[in-house]
Amino acid sequence: MSSETSPHKPRVAVVFGGRSSEHAISVLTAGAVLRAIDRDKYDVLPIGITTDGRWALTADDPERMAIADRRLPSVAELAESTEGGVVLPVDPTNREVVYSEPGSVPKALGEVDVVFPVLHGPYGEDGTLQGLLELSGVPYVGSGVLSSAVGQDKDYMKRVFASFGLPVGPYEVIRPREWDKDPAAARRKIVDFAGEHDWPLFVKPARAGSSMGITKVDDLAGLDEAVEEARRHDPKILVESLLSGREIECGVLEFEDGPRASVPAEIPPVTAHDFYDFEAKYIDSADGIVPAPLTAEQTAEVQELAVAAFEAASCEGLVRADFFLQDNGEFVINEINTLPGFTPISMYPRMWQESGVSYPELIDRLLQAALERSTGLR
């Protein structure tokens, strides 16, 4: 441990922001996590990644990491310098973080014992940051490289779930080369899918979250615009059929004896929006119902499916699993989120709160599990 750090307190680097379209959501999550970490038990080092990829030393000021007048926060507003950068050595024998500015002597910030990555989307949640931390030999909260990548790519996620016998809904994938080389053929592929499963369709980025870039398409007229909107976030897109039914979510948390499921929650229909989109989630704060009004049998079934999804993707630490309870009474898994939001209105901490795990206890449990877990093959 560095002389700057108390030998009795592990040092936590909370890494947030990032290059994805979910940058602001990550800042919101970081604010909530920083507010909840027990400062008597942990030293904290906030590190923000700007939208252009610079690792910045930021203010430890959760109050500035919130939505104000419908305006989303950013790392650039929190960075202590417009040019300084934080460097995490890619050396498993050295965990000392260094801060440098042009023309100045680099400053050692001390060693880091564990990283709490609260980055959402590509360049953070998708295995890229996890790979860097594996190379550095620094423990971190959440799933490893493969599980993070699978959890980010909805195409391969569904393939994994289907191979394990989990129920997934109909979908089609349009890969970058398909649309770039022959958009007419790619469009026909989507239209044929609609002919088999009917309109409306949902067109979404394959590797994005927070409902970014998703469009509900009612007919052919809106298809090209929806595809281009999805491709603004990811050149690979997913097309899904409408699954009528109730939206149910369930949290999974790793305990000493293995993963357990929380009480489930229900996302009620949002009358001001076509579906549970970005604004409904984060701007207009659509309320979920916790616990979901399900029968005991339905609750047990969705909890079992959530844990099965966690295990199928070889996840670690935490997962939020999202389902549709169809009108015929059957559950279909929509997706998992390996780093779900921890904002004050996020469903994951709310479900665990209702399950008897408080927000600070949830953060502590995740950090302790990460500190006990080795990096590398496991």
Side-chain angles (χ1 to χ4, degrees):
M1 299 290 288
S2 164
S3 59
E4 298 176 15
T5 307
S6 165
H8 304 293
K9 292 198 291 185
R11 195 169 207 208
V12 181
V14 178
V15 181
F16 63 98
R19 294 163 54 191
S20 82
S21 55
E22 297 176 79
H23 178 95
I25 305 309
S26 176
V27 179
L28 295 175
T29 294
V33 170
L34 288 171
R35 196 177 291 112
I37 288 180
D38 184 350
R39 302 307 177 98
D40 292 329
K41 191 171 183 178
Y42 301 99
D43 283 326
V44 178
L45 177 66
I47 299 174
I49 302 178
T50 63
T51 53
D52 60 2
R54 179 172 63 92
W55 288 47
L57 192 62
T58 66
D60 185 2
D61 188 355
E63 300 307 316
R64 292 171 58 195
M65 302 179 184
I67 297 175
D69 299 323
R70 300 177 72 88
R71 184 171 174 271
L72 295 168
S74 71
V75 168
E77 297 170 342
L78 298 160
E80 295 189 357
S81 165
T82 58
E83 295 182 313
V86 174
V87 177
L88 180 69
V90 185
D91 178 356
T93 66
N94 176 18
R95 293 183 180 177
E96 187 157 76
V97 175
V98 175
Y99 176 74
S100 63
E101 292 188 15
S104 301
V105 177
K107 175 186 176 184
L109 299 177
E111 293 186 351
V112 165
D113 296 293
V114 62
V115 171
F116 198 138
V118 293
L119 296 132
H120 301 304
Y123 314 111
E125 188 181 352
D126 59 349
T128 50
L129 177 63
Q130 289 75 13
L132 172 63
L133 296 173
E134 293 285 353
L135 288 172
S136 302
V138 179
Y140 54 93
V141 169
S143 290
V145 176
L146 176 64
S147 303
S148 297
V150 168
Q152 185 65 36
D153 190 316
K154 296 177 178 64
D155 172 18
Y156 286 98
M157 181 197 305
K158 291 176 186 290
R159 292 173 187 266
V160 167
F161 290 159
S163 73
F164 275 82
L166 296 173
V168 299
Y171 72 100
E172 187 62 84
V173 178
I174 304 296
R175 301 179 186 279
R177 283 192 297 271
E178 290 183 83
W179 192 263
D180 292 336
K181 289 181 64 176
D182 193 346
R187 193 180 297 107
R188 283 196 300 273
K189 186 176 175 181
I190 299 173
V191 171
D192 289 345
F193 179 79
E196 183 177 356
H197 299 286
D198 209 356
W199 303 90
L201 303 176
F202 288 90
V203 178
K204 61 176 65 175
R207 295 164 291 193
S210 298
S211 298
M212 289 284 193
I214 301 178
T215 305
K216 182 182 178 184
V217 183
D218 294 314
D219 52 43
L220 185 60
L223 182 57
D224 280 13
E225 185 178 350
V227 169
E228 291 306 323
E229 170 60 19
R231 282 168 55 87
R232 284 199 314 110
H233 300 269
D234 184 354
K236 178 181 177 181
I237 68 169
L238 206 70
V239 180
E240 296 177 334
S241 62
L242 174 67
L243 293 175
S244 59
R246 298 160 62 187
E247 292 190 49
I248 306 295
E249 298 185 349
C250 189
V252 180
L253 180 64
E254 198 165 8
F255 287 76
E256 291 78 7
D257 60 350
R260 302 180 197 170
S262 70
V263 299
E266 179 169 4
I267 308 302
V270 281
T271 56
H273 303 264
D274 270 352
F275 59 97
Y276 194 43
D277 62 5
F278 177 84
E279 287 210 354
K281 283 183 180 179
Y282 298 105
I283 305 298
D284 294 339
S285 304
D287 288 326
I289 303 169
V290 188
L294 300 171
T295 66
E297 291 76 13
Q298 289 172 327
T299 295
E301 182 180 358
V302 77
Q303 288 175 326
E304 182 179 342
L305 286 170
V307 171
F310 183 97
E311 298 281 34
S314 298
C315 295
E316 295 169 293
L318 72 164
V319 149
R320 193 195 70 234
D322 300 345
F323 299 86
F324 289 105
L325 176 54
Q326 300 181 99
D327 294 339
N328 62 6
E330 296 180 358
F331 282 101
V332 169
I333 185 166
N334 184 37
E335 63 183 47
I336 58 170
N337 192 316
T338 56
L339 280 172
F342 278 81
T343 70
I345 60 170
S346 294
M347 298 308 299
Y348 185 84
R350 287 184 59 195
M351 288 187 287
W352 279 109
Q353 177 79 39
E354 191 67 26
S355 304
V357 181
S358 69
Y359 196 122
E361 183 185 349
L362 179 62
I363 299 298
D364 181 58
R365 180 170 288 279
L366 290 169
L367 288 171
Q368 288 299 315
L371 285 163
E372 293 166 10
R373 188 186 305 132
S374 65
T375 54
L377 298 177
R378 52 190 184 273

